[in-house]
Amino acid sequence: MFTETPGPELAAAAVRLGVAPLERLPLWAAHWLAEDRDGPDLRILAGMSGQDVEEVRSVLPWALAQAGAPEPELSAAARVVFTAVARRCADGIDGEEQVLLAVERICRATGYADEVLTAPLAQVLAVEGEWHHPGGRERAVLRAEIQAAVKAQLAD
């Protein structure tokens, strides 16, 4: 889901949803510093190795706020992350299976919270069982449903 350095808003949303790779946040913070974002906690985060995720977690809320991305509400975080996942699919970076895996991971990490499940892209969970088990609808039909959810997410 994070093959490149995300912006602070996407990182904060991923942290809120519990799907951010905390060990990579110091590197991301260093990139944000290079983009003229600044603050003492952001500098502290950028100087960490990332090996101690509790250490990262201890400064994270303040560092993200200094980068311009305070912790979002759960529904707002879901919208940001799902839109990023949908954009990667629409741009041809990720395929439908990657979208399905990302959505399942996000929903599971949030305990299938109602605020997350109301997002348009979360509707692909309905095809998850058919995707991984033979005997359901054809793969082309499932791909079309995922693509429809991607478009709905981007229009939201």
Side-chain angles (χ1 to χ4, degrees), residues 7-32:
E9 181 186 26
L10 178 55
V15 167
R16 177 68 171 94
L17 297 177
V19 295
L22 296 180
E23 69 281 358
R24 293 177 62 192
L25 274 145
L27 175 63
W28 296 350
H31 283 274
W32 301 333

PDB file of all heavy atoms in Angstrom, residues 7-32:
ATOM      1  N   GLY A   7       2.131  11.601   1.759  1.00  0.00           N
ATOM      2  CA  GLY A   7       2.053  12.890   2.418  1.00  0.00           C
ATOM      3  C   GLY A   7       1.620  12.695   3.862  1.00  0.00           C
ATOM      4  O   GLY A   7       1.132  11.625   4.243  1.00  0.00           O
ATOM      5  N   PRO A   8       1.784  13.716   4.679  1.00  0.00           N
ATOM      6  CA  PRO A   8       1.408  13.599   6.087  1.00  0.00           C
ATOM      7  C   PRO A   8      -0.061  13.241   6.306  1.00  0.00           C
ATOM      8  O   PRO A   8      -0.372  12.483   7.228  1.00  0.00           O
ATOM      9  CB  PRO A   8       1.725  14.985   6.653  1.00  0.00           C
ATOM     10  CG  PRO A   8       2.758  15.540   5.748  1.00  0.00           C
ATOM     11  CD  PRO A   8       2.445  14.991   4.392  1.00  0.00           C
ATOM     12  N   GLU A   9      -0.964  13.757   5.479  1.00  0.00           N
ATOM     13  CA  GLU A   9      -2.388  13.456   5.661  1.00  0.00           C
ATOM     14  C   GLU A   9      -2.662  11.961   5.493  1.00  0.00           C
ATOM     15  O   GLU A   9      -3.356  11.346   6.302  1.00  0.00           O
ATOM     16  CB  GLU A   9      -3.246  14.255   4.689  1.00  0.00           C
ATOM     17  CG  GLU A   9      -4.728  13.988   4.872  1.00  0.00           C
ATOM     18  CD  GLU A   9      -5.608  14.650   3.819  1.00  0.00           C
ATOM     19  OE1 GLU A   9      -5.134  14.906   2.695  1.00  0.00           O
ATOM     20  OE2 GLU A   9      -6.779  14.889   4.137  1.00  0.00           O
ATOM     21  N   LEU A  10      -2.094  11.365   4.452  1.00  0.00           N
ATOM     22  CA  LEU A  10      -2.280   9.932   4.232  1.00  0.00           C
ATOM     23  C   LEU A  10      -1.607   9.125   5.339  1.00  0.00           C
ATOM     24  O   LEU A  10      -2.168   8.137   5.827  1.00  0.00           O
ATOM     25  CB  LEU A  10      -1.742   9.529   2.858  1.00  0.00           C
ATOM     26  CG  LEU A  10      -1.822   8.049   2.491  1.00  0.00           C
ATOM     27  CD1 LEU A  10      -3.243   7.512   2.618  1.00  0.00           C
ATOM     28  CD2 LEU A  10      -1.279   7.829   1.076  1.00  0.00           C
ATOM     29  N   ALA A  11      -0.437   9.547   5.761  1.00  0.00           N
ATOM     30  CA  ALA A  11       0.259   8.843   6.843  1.00  0.00           C
ATOM     31  C   ALA A  11      -0.555   8.902   8.136  1.00  0.00           C
ATOM     32  O   ALA A  11      -0.718   7.892   8.816  1.00  0.00           O
ATOM     33  CB  ALA A  11       1.645   9.438   7.056  1.00  0.00           C
ATOM     34  N   ALA A  12      -1.073  10.078   8.464  1.00  0.00           N
ATOM     35  CA  ALA A  12      -1.878  10.220   9.690  1.00  0.00           C
ATOM     36  C   ALA A  12      -3.133   9.358   9.616  1.00  0.00           C
ATOM     37  O   ALA A  12      -3.526   8.737  10.607  1.00  0.00           O
ATOM     38  CB  ALA A  12      -2.247  11.686   9.910  1.00  0.00           C
ATOM     39  N   ALA A  13      -3.746   9.302   8.445  1.00  0.00           N
ATOM     40  CA  ALA A  13      -4.942   8.477   8.275  1.00  0.00           C
ATOM     41  C   ALA A  13      -4.601   6.996   8.429  1.00  0.00           C
ATOM     42  O   ALA A  13      -5.334   6.246   9.084  1.00  0.00           O
ATOM     43  CB  ALA A  13      -5.576   8.749   6.911  1.00  0.00           C
ATOM     44  N   ALA A  14      -3.488   6.572   7.851  1.00  0.00           N
ATOM     45  CA  ALA A  14      -3.075   5.172   7.959  1.00  0.00           C
ATOM     46  C   ALA A  14      -2.725   4.811   9.400  1.00  0.00           C
ATOM     47  O   ALA A  14      -3.039   3.710   9.868  1.00  0.00           O
ATOM     48  CB  ALA A  14      -1.894   4.897   7.036  1.00  0.00           C
ATOM     49  N   VAL A  15      -2.108   5.751  10.122  1.00  0.00           N
ATOM     50  CA  VAL A  15      -1.815   5.524  11.534  1.00  0.00           C
ATOM     51  C   VAL A  15      -3.120   5.362  12.299  1.00  0.00           C
ATOM     52  O   VAL A  15      -3.279   4.445  13.108  1.00  0.00           O
ATOM     53  CB  VAL A  15      -0.966   6.680  12.120  1.00  0.00           C
ATOM     54  CG1 VAL A  15      -0.927   6.618  13.638  1.00  0.00           C
ATOM     55  CG2 VAL A  15       0.445   6.645  11.548  1.00  0.00           C
ATOM     56  N   ARG A  16      -4.086   6.229  12.033  1.00  0.00           N
ATOM     57  CA  ARG A  16      -5.388   6.179  12.726  1.00  0.00           C
ATOM     58  C   ARG A  16      -6.095   4.850  12.486  1.00  0.00           C
ATOM     59  O   ARG A  16      -6.733   4.296  13.375  1.00  0.00           O
ATOM     60  CB  ARG A  16      -6.265   7.342  12.258  1.00  0.00           C
ATOM     61  CG  ARG A  16      -7.665   7.355  12.840  1.00  0.00           C
ATOM     62  CD  ARG A  16      -7.623   7.648  14.339  1.00  0.00           C
ATOM     63  NE  ARG A  16      -8.943   7.869  14.888  1.00  0.00           N
ATOM     64  CZ  ARG A  16      -9.681   6.917  15.460  1.00  0.00           C
ATOM     65  NH1 ARG A  16      -9.229   5.680  15.551  1.00  0.00           N
ATOM     66  NH2 ARG A  16     -10.873   7.204  15.932  1.00  0.00           N
ATOM     67  N   LEU A  17      -5.954   4.320  11.263  1.00  0.00           N
ATOM     68  CA  LEU A  17      -6.598   3.050  10.925  1.00  0.00           C
ATOM     69  C   LEU A  17      -5.801   1.836  11.398  1.00  0.00           C
ATOM     70  O   LEU A  17      -6.304   0.710  11.345  1.00  0.00           O
ATOM     71  CB  LEU A  17      -6.819   2.957   9.408  1.00  0.00           C
ATOM     72  CG  LEU A  17      -7.751   3.987   8.793  1.00  0.00           C
ATOM     73  CD1 LEU A  17      -7.801   3.807   7.280  1.00  0.00           C
ATOM     74  CD2 LEU A  17      -9.148   3.905   9.387  1.00  0.00           C
ATOM     75  N   GLY A  18      -4.576   2.060  11.812  1.00  0.00           N
ATOM     76  CA  GLY A  18      -3.744   0.950  12.280  1.00  0.00           C
ATOM     77  C   GLY A  18      -3.086   0.170  11.171  1.00  0.00           C
ATOM     78  O   GLY A  18      -2.733  -0.997  11.359  1.00  0.00           O
ATOM     79  N   VAL A  19      -2.889   0.792  10.003  1.00  0.00           N
ATOM     80  CA  VAL A  19      -2.279   0.082   8.886  1.00  0.00           C
ATOM     81  C   VAL A  19      -0.972   0.722   8.409  1.00  0.00           C
ATOM     82  O   VAL A  19      -0.419   0.310   7.398  1.00  0.00           O
ATOM     83  CB  VAL A  19      -3.264  -0.060   7.697  1.00  0.00           C
ATOM     84  CG1 VAL A  19      -4.446  -0.924   8.085  1.00  0.00           C
ATOM     85  CG2 VAL A  19      -3.714   1.295   7.171  1.00  0.00           C
ATOM     86  N   ALA A  20      -0.490   1.724   9.128  1.00  0.00           N
ATOM     87  CA  ALA A  20       0.768   2.371   8.744  1.00  0.00           C
ATOM     88  C   ALA A  20       1.953   1.538   9.230  1.00  0.00           C
ATOM     89  O   ALA A  20       1.947   1.051  10.360  1.00  0.00           O
ATOM     90  CB  ALA A  20       0.843   3.771   9.340  1.00  0.00           C
ATOM     91  N   PRO A  21       2.974   1.400   8.400  1.00  0.00           N
ATOM     92  CA  PRO A  21       4.188   0.713   8.857  1.00  0.00           C
ATOM     93  C   PRO A  21       4.995   1.678   9.735  1.00  0.00           C
ATOM     94  O   PRO A  21       5.749   2.509   9.231  1.00  0.00           O
ATOM     95  CB  PRO A  21       4.910   0.369   7.554  1.00  0.00           C
ATOM     96  CG  PRO A  21       4.434   1.408   6.580  1.00  0.00           C
ATOM     97  CD  PRO A  21       3.045   1.777   7.002  1.00  0.00           C
ATOM     98  N   LEU A  22       4.817   1.595  11.034  1.00  0.00           N
ATOM     99  CA  LEU A  22       5.408   2.565  11.957  1.00  0.00           C
ATOM    100  C   LEU A  22       6.924   2.655  11.831  1.00  0.00           C
ATOM    101  O   LEU A  22       7.503   3.721  12.030  1.00  0.00           O
ATOM    102  CB  LEU A  22       5.008   2.245  13.394  1.00  0.00           C
ATOM    103  CG  LEU A  22       3.516   2.345  13.700  1.00  0.00           C
ATOM    104  CD1 LEU A  22       3.252   2.001  15.160  1.00  0.00           C
ATOM    105  CD2 LEU A  22       2.974   3.717  13.359  1.00  0.00           C
ATOM    106  N   GLU A  23       7.561   1.558  11.466  1.00  0.00           N
ATOM    107  CA  GLU A  23       9.015   1.563  11.334  1.00  0.00           C
ATOM    108  C   GLU A  23       9.494   2.450  10.182  1.00  0.00           C
ATOM    109  O   GLU A  23      10.655   2.846  10.135  1.00  0.00           O
ATOM    110  CB  GLU A  23       9.554   0.132  11.165  1.00  0.00           C
ATOM    111  CG  GLU A  23       9.200  -0.541   9.854  1.00  0.00           C
ATOM    112  CD  GLU A  23       7.781  -1.116   9.779  1.00  0.00           C
ATOM    113  OE1 GLU A  23       7.036  -1.043  10.781  1.00  0.00           O
ATOM    114  OE2 GLU A  23       7.419  -1.643   8.718  1.00  0.00           O
ATOM    115  N   ARG A  24       8.601   2.798   9.257  1.00  0.00           N
ATOM    116  CA  ARG A  24       8.980   3.644   8.114  1.00  0.00           C
ATOM    117  C   ARG A  24       8.680   5.123   8.349  1.00  0.00           C
ATOM    118  O   ARG A  24       9.116   5.976   7.580  1.00  0.00           O
ATOM    119  CB  ARG A  24       8.260   3.152   6.863  1.00  0.00           C
ATOM    120  CG  ARG A  24       8.786   1.763   6.464  1.00  0.00           C
ATOM    121  CD  ARG A  24       8.109   1.164   5.301  1.00  0.00           C
ATOM    122  NE  ARG A  24       8.263   1.939   4.097  1.00  0.00           N
ATOM    123  CZ  ARG A  24       7.550   1.706   3.000  1.00  0.00           C
ATOM    124  NH1 ARG A  24       6.670   0.733   2.989  1.00  0.00           N
ATOM    125  NH2 ARG A  24       7.724   2.436   1.938  1.00  0.00           N
ATOM    126  N   LEU A  25       7.961   5.438   9.418  1.00  0.00           N
ATOM    127  CA  LEU A  25       7.599   6.831   9.663  1.00  0.00           C
ATOM    128  C   LEU A  25       8.781   7.761   9.871  1.00  0.00           C
ATOM    129  O   LEU A  25       8.739   8.907   9.427  1.00  0.00           O
ATOM    130  CB  LEU A  25       6.603   6.923  10.813  1.00  0.00           C
ATOM    131  CG  LEU A  25       5.186   6.727  10.264  1.00  0.00           C
ATOM    132  CD1 LEU A  25       4.309   5.995  11.217  1.00  0.00           C
ATOM    133  CD2 LEU A  25       4.601   8.058   9.866  1.00  0.00           C
ATOM    134  N   PRO A  26       9.881   7.348  10.503  1.00  0.00           N
ATOM    135  CA  PRO A  26      11.028   8.258  10.586  1.00  0.00           C
ATOM    136  C   PRO A  26      11.561   8.672   9.206  1.00  0.00           C
ATOM    137  O   PRO A  26      11.881   9.849   8.991  1.00  0.00           O
ATOM    138  CB  PRO A  26      12.064   7.461  11.373  1.00  0.00           C
ATOM    139  CG  PRO A  26      11.231   6.567  12.250  1.00  0.00           C
ATOM    140  CD  PRO A  26      10.078   6.162  11.350  1.00  0.00           C
ATOM    141  N   LEU A  27      11.624   7.742   8.283  1.00  0.00           N
ATOM    142  CA  LEU A  27      12.068   8.077   6.926  1.00  0.00           C
ATOM    143  C   LEU A  27      11.096   9.048   6.262  1.00  0.00           C
ATOM    144  O   LEU A  27      11.504  10.018   5.622  1.00  0.00           O
ATOM    145  CB  LEU A  27      12.213   6.807   6.085  1.00  0.00           C
ATOM    146  CG  LEU A  27      12.559   7.018   4.614  1.00  0.00           C
ATOM    147  CD1 LEU A  27      13.923   7.699   4.476  1.00  0.00           C
ATOM    148  CD2 LEU A  27      12.541   5.705   3.865  1.00  0.00           C
ATOM    149  N   TRP A  28       9.808   8.805   6.432  1.00  0.00           N
ATOM    150  CA  TRP A  28       8.811   9.706   5.865  1.00  0.00           C
ATOM    151  C   TRP A  28       8.951  11.093   6.465  1.00  0.00           C
ATOM    152  O   TRP A  28       8.856  12.104   5.767  1.00  0.00           O
ATOM    153  CB  TRP A  28       7.410   9.165   6.093  1.00  0.00           C
ATOM    154  CG  TRP A  28       7.106   7.863   5.412  1.00  0.00           C
ATOM    155  CD1 TRP A  28       7.877   7.216   4.480  1.00  0.00           C
ATOM    156  CD2 TRP A  28       5.967   7.037   5.614  1.00  0.00           C
ATOM    157  NE1 TRP A  28       7.267   6.043   4.104  1.00  0.00           N
ATOM    158  CE2 TRP A  28       6.096   5.909   4.774  1.00  0.00           C
ATOM    159  CE3 TRP A  28       4.850   7.143   6.431  1.00  0.00           C
ATOM    160  CZ2 TRP A  28       5.142   4.906   4.722  1.00  0.00           C
ATOM    161  CZ3 TRP A  28       3.900   6.134   6.381  1.00  0.00           C
ATOM    162  CH2 TRP A  28       4.048   5.027   5.536  1.00  0.00           C
ATOM    163  N   ALA A  29       9.193  11.150   7.785  1.00  0.00           N
ATOM    164  CA  ALA A  29       9.363  12.440   8.455  1.00  0.00           C
ATOM    165  C   ALA A  29      10.561  13.190   7.883  1.00  0.00           C
ATOM    166  O   ALA A  29      10.511  14.417   7.709  1.00  0.00           O
ATOM    167  CB  ALA A  29       9.514  12.237   9.965  1.00  0.00           C
ATOM    168  N   ALA A  30      11.621  12.471   7.585  1.00  0.00           N
ATOM    169  CA  ALA A  30      12.798  13.110   6.981  1.00  0.00           C
ATOM    170  C   ALA A  30      12.439  13.715   5.623  1.00  0.00           C
ATOM    171  O   ALA A  30      12.870  14.826   5.292  1.00  0.00           O
ATOM    172  CB  ALA A  30      13.934  12.095   6.843  1.00  0.00           C
ATOM    173  N   HIS A  31      11.627  13.016   4.855  1.00  0.00           N
ATOM    174  CA  HIS A  31      11.171  13.555   3.563  1.00  0.00           C
ATOM    175  C   HIS A  31      10.332  14.808   3.769  1.00  0.00           C
ATOM    176  O   HIS A  31      10.458  15.778   3.030  1.00  0.00           O
ATOM    177  CB  HIS A  31      10.367  12.500   2.788  1.00  0.00           C
ATOM    178  CG  HIS A  31      11.208  11.460   2.140  1.00  0.00           C
ATOM    179  ND1 HIS A  31      11.775  11.607   0.899  1.00  0.00           N
ATOM    180  CD2 HIS A  31      11.585  10.237   2.588  1.00  0.00           C
ATOM    181  CE1 HIS A  31      12.469  10.525   0.602  1.00  0.00           C
ATOM    182  NE2 HIS A  31      12.365   9.677   1.602  1.00  0.00           N
ATOM    183  N   TRP A  32       9.464  14.787   4.773  1.00  0.00           N
ATOM    184  CA  TRP A  32       8.605  15.947   5.024  1.00  0.00           C
ATOM    185  C   TRP A  32       9.428  17.148   5.467  1.00  0.00           C
ATOM    186  O   TRP A  32       9.113  18.279   5.098  1.00  0.00           O
ATOM    187  CB  TRP A  32       7.537  15.610   6.060  1.00  0.00           C
ATOM    188  CG  TRP A  32       6.650  14.468   5.672  1.00  0.00           C
ATOM    189  CD1 TRP A  32       6.333  14.065   4.398  1.00  0.00           C
ATOM    190  CD2 TRP A  32       5.977  13.565   6.540  1.00  0.00           C
ATOM    191  NE1 TRP A  32       5.504  12.966   4.439  1.00  0.00           N
ATOM    192  CE2 TRP A  32       5.269  12.636   5.739  1.00  0.00           C
ATOM    193  CE3 TRP A  32       5.901  13.442   7.913  1.00  0.00           C
ATOM    194  CZ2 TRP A  32       4.499  11.613   6.274  1.00  0.00           C
ATOM    195  CZ3 TRP A  32       5.132  12.429   8.460  1.00  0.00           C
ATOM    196  CH2 TRP A  32       4.445  11.529   7.637  1.00  0.00           C
TER     197      TRP A  32
END
